[in-house]
Amino acid sequence: MTHNIVILAAGRGTRMKSQQPKVMHRLAGRGLLQHVLDAAAALKASRTVVVVGHGAATVEAAFGAPARVFVRQEPQLGTGHAVQQAVPALDHAADTTLILNGDVPLVTAATARALVEACGGKRLALLTMTPADPHGYGRIVRDGQRVLAIVEEKDATPAQRTIGEVYTGMMAAPTKALERWLAALKNDNAQREYYLTDIVAMAVADKVPVVGTPVADETEALGVNSPQQLADLERRLQRRRADALMTAGVRLADPSRLDVRGALRCGQDVEIDVGCVFEGDVDLGDGVTIGPYCVIRDCRIDAGARIEAFSHLEGASVGAGARVGPYARLRPGADLGEDVHVGNFVEIKNSTLAHGAKANHLAYVGDASVGAYVNYGAGSITANYDGANKHRTVIGADAHVGSNCVLVAPVTIGDGATIGAGSVVTYDAPAGQLTVARGKQVTIAGWKRPKKLKATGN
Ligand code: UD1
Ligand code: CA
């Protein structure tokens, strides 16, 4: 059996009060529509068609990929009209067509697949729910178990408004019948719109079985119409992720103060303190501890490493047993070996620090290779940029770079070399020797401090 997927994403999203199209807004770091597209991708549809309208060009540019087709709905005359626009782009041989919403981001692939199966190319399958407040939703009108129709809030009688079961906006329909029903839609209703939901009564009239399946977890059916709802879904999604991490044994100081905006993989005995944000792909090895308020994006942190409070790591790799922070900044290409120490207010970019190297205070290491057990002094920097090009600094194993040095790249410090504090190093420093490059200390004999001039009246 094959199926199409249609994702409705043409609506304006007035209540977001934003210049951005609604489906561009971010949930857990990804656009709302991206969440739906990811769930859809797991279903391997023969065609995935996204209906766009408001901000169409922006949405197409942001979510365009060869695997999907965009169709435009201009003007937006309702959900039925939206699906009509998708019809020419459908695979007509696919027996089922699934309809999802671009602003209902937490639907799972499993739920979507179950809808497709419930349809099976011959039934109209509706996903329903019974929210605490059904206001605003289309009501599922049943006669006993049998679904008869969906009635929109604005068209419902007072008796129908008391119905608690509502339509979530997701359905799966037999493709050929859907095309026929869509062609027969009328807009003689309270909103002068072509309602997709009117096809339910048409299916009943055509004796096509209609099945209404309640969604197992209503979070899957919650839509985003306002910043409040967006923030609410964010918390729900984050809580789900926190629970999954804890189930896997990760110790979170507070599951309500964790934000995972990508994929976070953790080994055993990982501890994460409050307020941390993980973005992109992050791997934490066994026994890693992350202190409070760290931001970690696209990093690999090996077993037993400790990241202390307020550190910011991006595109870095941290070796086993290393210590980073507090207040450290690792930028892309920072590659720390085992037992490396990087302390407060140290910035490292595109550099390797071999086993046991230390840069503990107030330093910058950029475009450098730092050997094993190097001690890189407080306040020292690599001057890696000459205003036009970046150059490398090489520091041999066991070298000691004193405090407040400037290593003017390209430059090489030999193994075991010592660089005196305050040196501006512009030539290579030989291995095993002391190199000092600074003004010599002198004492001026007989020098007197100037005296304060006497005040001259008034
Ligand atoms: C719709 C359903 C309602 C259901 C509710 C669930 C209809 C007529 N009503 O309500 O039964 O309870 O969803 O949230 O279908 N869209 C377009 N083009 C349009 C209009 C809408 O693409 O012309 C898209 C929107 O961007 C959105 C989705 O369709 O993704 C639903 O639209 P929305 O206006 O939120 O739905 P309602 O009409 O309120
Ligand atoms: Ca809605």
Side-chain angles (χ1 to χ4, degrees):
M1 276 202 319
T2 53
H3 59 275
N4 298 293
I5 300 178
V6 177
I7 302 174
L8 304 185
R12 182 194 288 277
T14 316
R15 282 192 279 153
M16 290 303 292
K17 303 206 171 115
S18 168
Q19 300 270 18
Q20 272 190 28
K22 178 158 76 176
V23 294
M24 299 280 298
H25 287 283
R26 291 179 170 270
L27 180 73
R30 279 144 68 233
L32 293 175
L33 180 56
Q34 192 61 53
H35 289 265
V36 183
L37 288 167
D38 288 352
L43 264 67
K44 313 230 178 303
S46 53
R47 212 59 68 73
T48 297
V49 182
V50 184
V51 184
V52 290
H54 278 283
T58 313
V59 176
E60 288 166 3
F63 302 102
R68 59 192 69 119
V69 181
F70 290 94
V71 298
R72 294 201 180 186
Q73 183 201 17
E74 278 154 356
Q76 289 82 43
L77 302 178
T79 51
H81 180 254
V83 182
Q84 279 171 2
Q85 311 314 303
V87 167
L90 296 180
D91 174 2
H92 303 282
D95 60 11
T96 298
T97 296
L98 171 70
I99 295 163
L100 303 175
N101 288 289
D103 59 355
V104 181
L106 296 186
V107 63
T108 59
T111 295
R113 193 176 291 119
L115 260 185
V116 169
E117 278 159 16
C119 167
K122 48 187 184 291
R123 291 171 292 269
L124 178 59
L126 308 173
L127 192 66
T128 74
M129 63 175 168
T130 307
D133 178 11
H135 183 85
Y137 288 102
R139 305 300 205 282
I140 306 288
V141 180
R142 290 187 189 248
D143 174 17
Q145 279 304 307
R146 237 163 61 87
V147 176
L148 297 182
I150 297 176
V151 182
E152 293 305 305
E153 169 90 24
K154 289 188 175 129
D155 301 286
T157 63
Q160 286 169 334
R161 283 187 194 159
T162 65
I163 298 172
E165 189 186 17
V166 304
Y167 171 53
T168 58
M170 293 177 263
M171 65 164 73
T175 305
K176 290 224 162 55
L178 174 67
E179 292 175 2
R180 193 171 66 241
W181 297 329
L182 288 172
L185 285 179
K186 297 204 170 60
N187 67 345
D188 50 356
N189 52 52
Q191 304 184 80
R192 298 259 135 226
E193 283 183 7
Y194 296 89
Y195 292 162
L196 175 62
T197 45
D198 283 353
I199 72 168
V200 176
M202 295 180 182
V204 172
D206 279 359
K207 305 218 164 10
V208 171
V210 181
V211 286
T213 326
V215 65
D217 175 358
E218 289 190 355
T219 301
E220 287 195 47
L222 295 179
V224 173
N225 298 298
S226 65
Q228 287 89 337
Q229 288 173 343
L230 181 60
D232 174 51
L233 279 198
E234 180 78 34
R235 281 342 303 159
R236 287 172 187 252
L237 175 55
Q238 292 302 342
R239 183 62 209 219
R240 268 193 200 173
R241 292 182 176 179
D243 282 334
L245 288 168
M246 291 189 294
T247 300
V250 177
R251 294 192 290 278
L252 301 176
D254 182 353
S256 68
R257 284 184 287 169
L258 171 78
D259 286 85
V260 179
R261 299 178 188 153
L264 172 61
R265 284 172 294 271
C266 295
Q268 203 170 23
D269 285 309
V270 167
E271 288 187 20
I272 301 173
D273 213 324
V274 298
C276 293
V277 178
F278 295 90
E279 299 181 331
D281 283 309
V282 176
D283 279 287
L284 305 181
D286 292 346
V288 165
T289 65
I290 310 289
Y293 303 104
C294 292
V295 177
I296 301 181
R297 179 185 305 139
D298 294 319
C299 287
R300 178 201 159 97
I301 300 176
D302 289 342
R306 286 176 54 177
I307 312 298
E308 306 284 3
F310 299 106
S311 293
H312 190 286
L313 284 67
E314 177 179 6
S317 115
V318 176
R323 294 254 308 271
V324 175
Y327 300 102
R329 177 158 186 222
L330 303 185
R331 290 171 51 202
D335 182 354
L336 278 46
E338 277 179 34
D339 298 319
V340 163
H341 288 192
V342 170
N344 43 276
F345 308 108
V346 173
E347 174 181 350
I348 300 194
K349 184 213 79 170
N350 188 31
S351 295
T352 55
L353 277 71
H355 183 220
K358 291 186 173 66
N360 272 330
H361 329 267
L362 299 164
Y364 176 58
V365 179
D367 303 307
S369 305
V370 178
Y373 300 104
V374 163
N375 199 313
Y376 192 86
S380 290
I381 66 163
T382 55
N384 56 327
Y385 185 51
D386 62 13
N389 298 296
K390 304 270 171 72
H391 302 281
R392 284 201 78 78
T393 299
V394 177
I395 305 176
D398 208 30
H400 282 223
V401 176
S403 295
N404 214 34
C405 292
V406 180
L407 308 180
V408 183
V411 73
T412 297
I413 311 293
D415 290 352
T418 299
I419 307 297
S423 292
V424 176
V425 180
T426 51
Y427 302 105
D428 291 352
Q433 300 189 51
L434 171 65
T435 296
V436 184
R438 62 174 187 239
K440 275 216 168 89
Q441 180 167 329
V442 293
T443 301
I444 312 293
W447 179 86
K448 294 252 169 5
R449 265 191 209 170
K451 288 218 169 67
K452 218 176 189 161
L453 294 173
K454 280 227 173 71
T456 55
N458 54 31

